[in-house]
């Protein structure tokens, strides 16, 4: 079945550690890729997005993601996490189907950063 | 600028009671509208989407229904809630590639 997979459901890191969250999708053809973040008690916010062009995308708060088409992956990275990065992170794929764009989300990764 | 409003923020309902969650968008016209549910440990699941007034597509068979009586209004309903309907419900709108989300409604069915 077509899906978006996030392999790490829970990640615990110490401050200043490096972060990489995996995301793989199984859709063929042209897709748009996103990472969203949901801080505790807040609504979903866009971290970064990839539509085309440079496969290394830089987003807000020092996050970046790399689109590797051959691996159907869009992994999220941050060189040095902070306590304030504690949140849930969602990868999403957007495809144009039947005249509209449909977002398919992964199951999310809960990140806890220890001070 | 465009804004999306979703209410209520939290809701506790008994099993068997009806449900109506409302979502409205301001500052745009003819948006694509979406309802998602976030259940514990299951990520965000697309429930319904709509490309225009009265046009509803359902993604998964379930106890819920959606309606779009006006261009910028999207309603999620149920005639009789089940325990399994508990979760976090998100409304979203988009024109093209990027979607924008409401604050969400946390529904607890007891």
């Amino acid at each position: 079945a077509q899906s978006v997979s996030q392999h790490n459901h829970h990640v615990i890191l110490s401050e200043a550690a490096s972060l990489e969250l995996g995301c793989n999708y199984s859709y063929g053809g042209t897709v748009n890729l996103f990472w969203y973040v949901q801080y505790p008690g807040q609504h979903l916010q866009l971290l970064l997005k990839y539509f085309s062009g440079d496969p290394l995308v830089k987003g807000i708060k020092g996050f970046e993601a790399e689109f590797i088409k051959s691996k159907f992956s869009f992994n999220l990275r941050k060189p040095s996490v902070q306590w304030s990065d504690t949140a849930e992170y969602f990868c999403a794929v957007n495809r144009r189907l039947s005249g509209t764009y449909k977002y398919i989300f992964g199951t999310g990764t809960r990140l806890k950063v220890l001070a | 600028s465009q804004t999306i409003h979703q209410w209520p923020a939290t809701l506790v309902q008994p099993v068997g009671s009806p449900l109506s969650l409302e979502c409205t968008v301001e500052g745009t016209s003819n948006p694509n509208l979406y309802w998602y549910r976030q259940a514990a440990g299951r990520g965000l699941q697309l429930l319904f989407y709509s490309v225009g007034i009265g046009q509803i597509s359902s993604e998964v068979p379930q106890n819920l229904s959606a309606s779009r009586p006006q261009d910028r209004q999207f309603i999620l309903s149920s005639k009789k809630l089940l325990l399994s309907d508990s979760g976090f419900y998100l409304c979203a709108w988009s024109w093209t590639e990027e979607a924008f989300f409401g604050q969400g409604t946390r529904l607890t069915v007891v």
Side-chain angles (χ1 to χ4, degrees), chain A residues 3-8 20-26 33-35 65-68 71-76 89-93 104-107 109:
Chain A
S3 66
V4 177
S5 300
Q6 290 181 244
H7 314 294
N8 313 101
E20 179 158 4
L21 301 182
C23 174
N24 288 88
Y25 62 95
S26 62
L33 299 157
F34 304 80
W35 275 96
E66 185 175 12
F67 170 54
I68 303 179
K71 294 185 178 181
F72 295 86
S73 70
F74 190 56
N75 293 353
L76 181 71
Y89 294 81
F90 292 93
C91 180
V93 170
I104 307 298
F105 284 83
T107 52
T109 298

Side-chain angles (χ1 to χ4, degrees), chain B residues 11 18 51 56 64 72-73 92:
Chain B
L11 191 59
V51 299
I56 308 294
L64 301 167
R72 291 169 289 177
Q73 184 184 28

Side-chain angles (χ1 to χ4, degrees), chain A residues 1-114:
Chain A
Q2 297 176 327
S3 66
V4 177
S5 300
Q6 290 181 244
H7 314 294
N8 313 101
H9 298 295
H10 292 90
V11 174
I12 301 175
L13 294 173
S14 298
E15 274 194 316
S18 64
L19 170 72
E20 179 158 4
L21 301 182
C23 174
N24 288 88
Y25 62 95
S26 62
Y27 301 97
T30 302
V31 294
N32 301 311
L33 299 157
F34 304 80
W35 275 96
Y36 284 86
V37 61
Q38 188 174 29
Y39 297 103
Q42 296 188 28
H43 62 90
L44 217 59
Q45 301 173 41
L46 180 67
L47 262 184
L48 47 79
K49 59 189 177 185
Y50 173 79
F51 291 168
S52 63
D54 189 344
L56 184 61
V57 181
K58 294 192 183 297
I60 61 171
K61 304 187 181 186
F63 286 91
E64 64 178 31
E66 185 175 12
F67 170 54
I68 303 179
K69 189 174 182 179
S70 61
K71 294 185 178 181
F72 295 86
S73 70
F74 190 56
N75 293 353
L76 181 71
R77 299 194 292 249
K78 186 171 184 178
S80 177
V81 295
Q82 300 172 315
W83 178 80
S84 57
D85 292 324
T86 294
E88 189 160 16
Y89 294 81
F90 292 93
C91 180
V93 170
N94 190 356
R95 304 175 66 223
R96 187 178 177 91
L97 289 171
S98 304
T100 190
Y101 287 88
K102 291 171 60 174
Y103 270 76
I104 307 298
F105 284 83
T107 52
T109 298
R110 286 186 183 272
L111 171 66
K112 185 170 184 177
V113 180
L114 304 175

